[in-house]
Amino acid sequence: MTGPVAGGAWRPPEEGLGAAAGNGVLPLGERVARWREVLPATLPPADDLLVALDIDGTLLTHDGELSPAVAAAVAALRDAGAHVVLSTGRSVQGVTPVAARLGLTQGWAVCSNGAVCIRLDPELDGGHVISDVVTFDPGPTLRLLREELPSGLIAVEDLGRGFKVSAPFPMGELTGEVQVVDFEELVAAPATRVTLRAPELSSQDFHELVERVGLHGVGYAVGWTAWLDISPDGVNKASALEMLRGRLDVPAEATVALGDGSNDLEMLAWAAHGVAMGGSAQAVQSAADAVTDDVAHDGAAVVLRALLDR
């Protein structure tokens, strides 16, 4: 792969670097037309697709804003008959409000980095049901991390309710009911996801922490802030999406994924057409087949519209 240009398509570095300065300036329609040129010829029509979408940094800005262009593109793809699947590190209670904002009231969503899947249906109580759950024993990992970083904030997902935490997290970072408990209660039961947060550290500090400690028997991803998510071993967005792909009888060549974070690496590699958001880390871009504009310039809308307008 080489460098990205406005509108998404990969070009040689000497062309891409010059065009990148105008990223997001071209009208949406022109950027969609450019992107259409790099879609794989093997992708079927929109109504046969499974399209997996990360939320934060992909559909929503990191301030939680949803642009009209992205919302409209998601709605158009849904209306065309595609399986539009939100695929996120967010917990169930963090996903369902976003699904509602996007008008995704039926179908499936991947939560907690693949450890939890839900089925959306407006006729169900609360509009959804938890369909699949994978757990692990958080005790060994949390004891290691607490020794290495005793000041770190720990959150253990309390499935369907919220989180149990070692101490309060920064305002707005956790959704649902948040309950402060002692450490032994945090490690007492199997968990779907565990988060270690240290606001004073950088993402690089967390990568170094993981290397020092050596995490075994679990999966993990470092967030764009100083945020470490820990999950069951072998469980990630891709593993959950592959399960749903089989359940929905969607061919492997009919899969598309968009994401921007380290927890999207497996998902981008899994998809027949994996798309990284502009501005994402080089490791994320390298895992993808192409790179679109960043979230501030409606990069997701460009790709979704191109899937429709072929």
Side-chain angles (χ1 to χ4, degrees), residues 40-220:
T42 53
L43 277 181
D47 59 350
D48 291 327
L49 294 175
L50 188 162
V51 182
L53 301 174
D54 173 52
I55 293 178
D56 299 290
T58 300
L59 299 179
L60 305 186
T61 69
H62 291 295
D63 293 326
E65 297 297 320
L66 172 65
S67 82
V70 171
V74 171
L77 194 62
R78 174 205 64 203
D79 292 345
H83 298 288
V84 181
V85 179
L86 297 179
S87 185
T88 176
R90 288 185 177 217
S91 59
V92 172
Q93 62 271 13
V95 173
T96 51
V98 177
R101 288 174 70 183
L102 291 166
L104 299 175
T105 58
Q106 289 188 311
W108 302 84
V110 172
C111 313
S112 305
N113 287 325
V116 179
C117 290
I118 61 174
R119 182 169 64 86
L120 300 164
D121 186 332
E123 296 187 0
L124 294 170
D125 185 25
H128 71 278
V129 64
I130 296 173
S131 59
D132 302 271
V133 178
V134 184
T135 62
F136 71 110
D137 177 7
T141 297
L142 285 182
R143 294 184 195 282
L144 272 175
L145 291 171
R146 187 175 67 156
E147 289 180 9
E148 188 70 23
L149 189 64
S151 64
L153 306 175
I154 299 170
V156 176
E157 188 170 83
D158 189 10
L159 185 59
R161 288 180 289 274
F163 293 87
K164 293 181 178 180
V165 300
S166 59
F169 270 54
M171 184 67 69
E173 288 195 347
L174 299 177
T175 57
E177 178 184 335
V178 179
Q179 181 184 6
V180 178
V181 301
D182 63 36
F183 181 79
E184 291 306 319
E185 185 170 345
L186 286 176
V187 301
T192 51
R193 179 175 63 125
V194 170
T195 294
L196 180 66
R197 183 77 163 94
E200 73 278 8
L201 300 184
S202 67
S203 295
Q204 182 58 39
D205 291 331
F206 262 97
H207 283 292
E208 293 171 358
L209 170 66
V210 169
E211 291 181 6
R212 286 199 308 272
V213 172
L215 298 183
H216 303 289
V218 296
Y220 67 89

